[in-house]
Amino acid sequence: MIVLKSPQLVQETAVRWKKEYKVALVPTMGCLHDGHLALVDIAKQFAEKCIVSIFVNPLQFAPHEDFERYPRPIEDDMEKLEAAGVDLLFAPDVRDMYPSDTYSTRVISNGPLTQALCAKSRPGHFDGVATVCTKLFLATQADIAVFGEKDFQQLRVIQQLTEDLNLPVSILPHPIVRESDQVAMSSRNRYLSAEDRALAPMLYQALEATRKKALSQPRTTVGELLQSARQLISNPIFQIDYLEICPERTLTPAEASVPLNEVSNPRLFVAAKLGQTRLIDNLSLKLGQP
Ligand code: AMP
């Protein structure tokens, strides 16, 4: 596995590869788990060359968030990527990505996709994500980039970014990879105390119970479904940041009075704090989805 820090060197390598091969990118912030590695597996199925980036991007963290303490076990990550058959690890430092004191350019995501859900409590977050992903796409010249549905709003923002700017990269979504107790895998799960980790499955259980109710009674209103979900996510264990049902395309929260079967491709979204850790999860409420 080649390991590079410089965007210019990555670009030179990718330009060479692209004469013969398709190139896939899996962007990550490291502290890799099996969710990330599932994205790598899919990337390798769609392209002959697989690049993984590890970069904890300061632009997407607010001052009070966990940029400094975000886990960075780079040696472990390198072992996992080597074993997974990754061709190139792009692991820049902040100064490699934003090198000069005159760095000025941002990609702004300003539309319905960044009005609700995580955009409310994390202002500027998706502009940071859009900016870094644009730089990663250009550095790696990726034909394909794989994103997890764990961060469904991020996935939609990036799909819209590539459509809006006609970026020549296809975005491949991957379903959420879960632990055996159905908790969505996340690098931040390691912040949870043992007691809180034992309570974490309640979040998914509430989503799943709501999905069952939605599927058996599709004319139930959005408000009724959200109310029953809210009751299941027992307070004060979880402090709910948001709980919404949105159409997948626009991510504009559906009105409480609307029956679920009038929401196009509905998806249930939750963000909640457990102890000091903010967890997010989501589940499709489409009829016929597993
Ligand atoms: P992160 O390192 O948390 O920025 O995540 C990098 C990529 O991996 C993003 O596209 C995430 O959505 C994806 N990802 C993280 N956790 C999971 C998971 N449990 N299942 C599927 N994809 C995931």
Side-chain angles (χ1 to χ4, degrees):
M1 184 173 71
I2 305 167
V3 182
L4 294 174
K5 281 179 184 291
S6 145
Q8 288 78 13
L9 289 182
V10 171
Q11 202 174 54
E12 281 171 28
T13 309
V15 166
R16 248 186 295 117
W17 282 350
K18 281 184 48 120
K19 293 185 180 140
E20 272 185 88
Y21 305 116
K22 274 201 171 159
V23 173
L25 169 68
V26 180
T28 81
M29 297 202 297
C31 192
L32 302 176
H33 50 65
D34 286 351
H36 295 113
L37 297 177
L39 271 52
V40 170
D41 276 351
I42 287 290
K44 283 167 57 75
Q45 287 174 33
F46 280 83
E48 292 85 2
K49 294 288 182 185
C50 177
I51 303 178
V52 172
S53 61
I54 293 184
F55 181 56
V56 186
N57 174 33
L59 291 192
Q60 68 191 67
F61 287 77
H64 64 277
E65 292 180 343
D66 56 346
F67 174 73
E68 295 296 343
R69 71 179 184 118
Y70 197 86
R72 292 165 171 85
I74 188 70
E75 298 295 328
D76 282 4
D77 286 351
M78 282 172 58
E79 265 179 41
K80 289 178 184 168
L81 295 177
E82 188 92 57
V86 168
D87 298 286
L88 194 162
L89 167 61
F90 177 28
D93 291 329
V94 172
R95 63 180 174 278
D96 297 309
M97 291 296 270
Y98 308 115
S100 80
D101 57 2
T102 52
Y103 184 92
S104 312
T105 308
R106 295 278 195 284
V107 179
I108 308 295
S109 176
N110 186 13
L113 293 175
T114 48
Q115 299 301 309
L117 307 180
C118 286
K120 280 205 164 151
S121 50
R122 306 190 72 188
H125 170 70
F126 290 109
D127 296 342
V129 169
T131 302
V132 79
C133 285
T134 304
K135 284 178 67 82
L136 292 171
F137 295 157
L138 292 169
T140 62
Q141 301 282 300
D143 299 291
I144 294 158
V146 189
F147 286 82
E149 290 181 349
K150 162 85 181 2
D151 303 277
F152 196 89
Q153 189 172 18
Q154 167 175 279
L155 163 68
R156 285 293 302 117
V157 166
I158 297 301
Q159 285 173 328
Q160 196 66 48
L161 162 76
T162 59
E163 186 182 321
D164 291 349
L165 301 187
N166 306 108
L167 298 181
V169 53
S170 303
I171 304 302
L172 205 64
H174 191 286
I176 299 178
V177 179
R178 297 182 180 280
E179 305 283 359
S180 54
D181 62 3
Q182 303 300 322
V183 170
M185 289 187 183
S186 166
S187 310
R188 288 187 169 103
N189 288 351
R190 63 167 64 187
Y191 297 154
L192 293 169
S193 67
E195 292 81 11
D196 286 345
R197 178 63 189 78
L199 297 168
M202 285 176 65
L203 201 60
Y204 174 80
Q205 285 159 10
L207 299 190
E208 178 54 26
T210 309
R211 189 181 75 97
K212 286 214 171 86
K213 181 171 172 147
L215 297 192
S216 64
Q217 305 162 42
R219 286 211 52 80
T220 312
T221 65
V222 164
E224 285 161 349
L225 288 169
L226 291 179
Q227 198 184 4
S228 65
R230 203 172 283 276
Q231 278 164 1
L232 290 168
I233 302 169
S234 80
N235 267 325
I237 298 170
F238 291 96
Q239 281 176 289
I240 298 176
D241 174 8
Y242 59 76
L243 181 66
E244 302 279 10
I245 293 172
C246 306
E248 289 183 352
R249 205 180 77 78
T250 64
L251 300 187
T252 303
E255 298 286 342
S257 59
V258 175
L260 183 73
N261 62 359
E262 290 178 18
V263 181
S264 122
N265 294 330
R267 193 172 273 264
L268 176 58
F269 293 89
V270 67
K273 257 190 153 181
L274 178 54
Q276 289 309 301
T277 308
R278 187 171 177 277
L279 302 179
I280 57 171
D281 204 342
N282 66 81
L283 200 59
S284 169
L285 300 182
K286 260 182 280 185
L287 282 171
Q289 289 285 304

